[in-house]
């Protein structure tokens, strides 16, 4: 059995790389950006995880530059009704993953 951190990381990576089994929230500024397709591609292919930006090794946050803008993406874990935090982010049966993609100045 995989440890909880490894399971969370695997679920995060699979959902981020496919945009499946999750909800993807784009801020209006990201949605309207001329390089939206590049932003989405960069999120899906992000691999620059370090101990500085991924201290829990869950692959739950990333940032990169597109043109003159810095993009942040991050995971939040909710219960299936999107009312509360998930009781167990390692269990996809009780968790709705929400991937938010925004610009740094929107954080």
């Amino acid at each position: 059995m995989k440890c909880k951190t490894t399971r969370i990381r695997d679920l995060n990576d699979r959902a981020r790389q496919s945009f499946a089994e999750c909800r993807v929230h784009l801020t209006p500024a990201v949605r309207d950006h001329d390089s939206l397709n590049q932003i989405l591609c960069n999120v899906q292919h992000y691999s620059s995880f370090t101990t500085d930006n991924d201290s829990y090794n869950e692959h739950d946050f990333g940032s990169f530059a597109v043109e003159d803008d810095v993009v942040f993406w991050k995971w939040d874990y909710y219960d299936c009704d999107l009312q509360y935090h998930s009781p167990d982010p390692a269990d996809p049966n009780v968790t709705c993953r929400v991937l938010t993609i925004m610009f740094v100045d929107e954080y």
Side-chain angles (χ1 to χ4, degrees), residues 21-76:
E21 300 177 27
C22 67
R23 293 184 183 216
V24 179
H25 174 73
L26 307 176
T27 61
V30 168
R31 190 176 51 242
D32 295 338
H33 198 276
D34 290 340
S35 296
L36 174 60
N37 289 335
Q38 183 61 51
I39 291 169
L40 296 176
C41 185
N42 286 359
V43 170
Q44 289 181 307
H45 293 93
Y46 187 86
S47 63
S48 299
F49 298 103
T50 68
T51 55
D52 289 333
N53 69 9
D54 190 31
S55 56
Y56 295 106
N57 198 28
E58 293 181 349
H59 293 187
D60 59 355
F61 173 85
S63 67
F64 55 87
V66 170
E67 298 174 15
D68 293 329
D69 298 307
V70 176
V71 176
F72 278 179
W73 61 265
K74 64 184 269 315
W75 283 111
D76 290 297

Side-chain angles (χ1 to χ4, degrees), residues 79-93:
D79 67 355
C80 293
D81 294 326
L82 297 168
Q83 297 295 310
Y84 303 102
H85 291 285
S86 170
D88 182 3
D91 182 352
N93 295 314

